[in-house]
Amino acid sequence: MSPLALGLGIVIFIASFDEDHGSGGGGGGTVLASGSLKVGKGAVPAEYAGLIQSAASSCDQGLPAAVLAAQLEAESGFNPRAQSPGVGAQGIAQFMPDTWASEGIDANHDGRKDVWDPADAIPSQGSMMCKLLKDAKRHPEYNGSPIELALAGYNAGWGRVEQYRGVPPSSFANGETYSYVQAIMADVKRLTAPDTGGTPDVSGGWSLPVKAPLGTPYHQAGGMWSSGYHTGIDFAVSPGTPIHAVGPGKVITAGAGGAYGNQVVIQHPDGVYSQYAHMTEVKVSAGQTVTGGQLIGLSGATGNVSGPHLHMEVRTGPEYGSDIDPVAYLLKKGLRI
């Protein structure tokens, strides 16, 4: 089923230290990898991989391509001629006619927007999900990560997300939306291939960046952040405390980072990025490879802060706005905070 099929028109599964500025982010307790799509038998059909990747890349909200792929698999099994009996959902992205009328786009510029043409339907799906994700990020107080909220909105309509202040519970619509979101999120990892392009082979284990208590947690709401919530986690450390890379990878950024002060951003072999901010001194350079536990800098209070600490983010991309839950990611790597 698909866009608002649930009688609405859509159905689909799935201490304050910082004063950082920016918009967006987020991901509840769900860890998403940012790597490229896994293509082939049992994964994403090759003929649709480019369309899916392009649709995700066109979204400025940090929308992983594997989320769109998992949606399409759940909706239609990647069948562009799929039609839901008695519901009316059509095409590979299972748009309802009313939803297609408002959300469909002529992405291939052939003069018509065709719900049965994946070249129109997949970009339209990406566009609609991007809008929903943007809305979701305005509500860090809702139950669910922004991606999960967007999926629920695509499935049941954003009005239902607002009604339940999060992903509708299993008691809504016999659990269809709830199960849908769960199933899609579970399939994301299977459809994601590690993005190691440009990243050389590295070795080394995984390590906490510092041995220190946590300060401001991930997704704490507050007016000091322009996104409306904290996009990382803080470690309460004094100036000059050694900071270590949490895992092996390639340094993408090393130096001044605006409100983040002196920062380091590392791309890891699984395609996920870690960021370390407000350093008093950076000890690595862009392009350098590092191992888990390697010294990368010293903590400080540079940038937009009210006191010394280490601000750390985990992201699906190198830039602000694609953050996911750092604690969940580190736990997945076998670390304990």
Side-chain angles (χ1 to χ4, degrees):
M1 303 174 68
S2 125
L4 288 177
L6 287 177
L8 299 173
I10 293 183
V11 169
I12 230 179
F13 262 120
I14 250 231
S16 296
F17 293 112
D18 274 345
E19 297 175 2
D20 303 321
H21 295 279
S23 63
T30 302
V31 174
L32 297 179
S34 65
S36 57
L37 294 172
K38 187 179 293 183
V39 179
K41 185 177 181 179
V44 181
E47 61 264 42
Y48 304 131
L51 286 170
I52 295 169
Q53 194 70 58
S54 177
S57 298
S58 296
C59 178
D60 61 358
Q61 298 299 310
L63 176 61
V67 169
L68 296 182
Q71 266 189 307
L72 293 170
E73 185 178 59
E75 288 288 343
S76 67
F78 297 108
N79 179 7
R81 306 307 300 175
Q83 187 162 11
S84 299
V87 177
Q90 301 173 329
I92 194 169
Q94 289 290 277
F95 276 95
M96 294 293 290
D98 288 349
T99 307
W100 180 254
S102 60
E103 299 293 340
I105 57 178
D106 176 20
N108 62 1
H109 307 293
D110 66 354
R112 63 194 182 102
K113 58 180 187 179
D114 185 357
V115 72
W116 303 107
D117 186 349
D120 286 342
I122 292 174
S124 298
Q125 171 210 10
S127 173
M128 183 171 176
M129 278 293 292
C130 191
K131 294 174 186 176
L132 289 166
L133 186 54
K134 186 174 183 178
D135 286 340
K137 289 181 178 181
R138 297 191 180 104
H139 296 283
E141 75 280 10
Y142 281 8
N143 179 33
S145 70
I147 289 290
E148 291 167 323
L149 296 175
L151 287 170
Y154 190 95
N155 179 255
W158 186 251
R160 292 298 191 185
V161 175
E162 292 181 324
Q163 176 185 347
Y164 290 102
R165 295 179 64 80
V167 176
S170 57
S171 59
F172 169 72
N174 296 317
E176 184 168 6
T177 299
Y178 178 85
S179 298
Y180 182 68
V181 172
Q182 295 278 58
I184 285 182
M185 297 306 293
D187 281 340
V188 168
K189 181 178 180 180
R190 178 175 57 82
L191 297 178
T192 302
D195 182 4
T196 57
T199 302
D201 291 335
V202 292
S203 62
W206 291 82
S207 169
L208 291 177
V210 292
K211 290 184 178 180
L214 285 177
T216 307
Y218 180 62
H219 261 202
Q220 178 170 310
M224 69 183 69
W225 305 292
S226 60
S227 59
Y229 61 91
H230 193 223
T231 52
I233 53 176
D234 290 345
F235 291 89
V237 291
S238 58
T241 300
I243 299 172
H244 306 276
V246 296
K250 179 180 180 180
V251 177
I252 303 299
T253 300
Y260 286 115
N262 295 323
Q263 65 167 344
V264 170
V265 177
I266 298 171
Q267 182 187 19
H268 300 291
D270 60 2
V272 174
Y273 298 75
S274 59
Q275 181 237 20
Y276 315 79
H278 309 311
M279 293 181 175
T280 187
E281 186 176 349
V282 172
K283 295 287 190 179
V284 290
S285 303
Q288 180 179 343
T289 59
V290 296
T291 58
Q294 181 173 331
L295 177 68
I296 59 173
L298 303 177
S299 67
T302 58
N304 234 358
V305 296
S306 57
H309 68 285
L310 168 63
H311 172 87
M312 179 190 173
E313 294 186 13
V314 175
R315 303 167 171 174
T316 60
E319 303 296 336
Y320 177 90
S322 59
D323 54 277
I324 58 178
D325 186 348
V327 173
Y329 182 76
L330 295 176
L331 288 174
K332 186 179 179 182
K333 297 301 182 182
L335 302 176
R336 294 292 177 265
I337 298 181

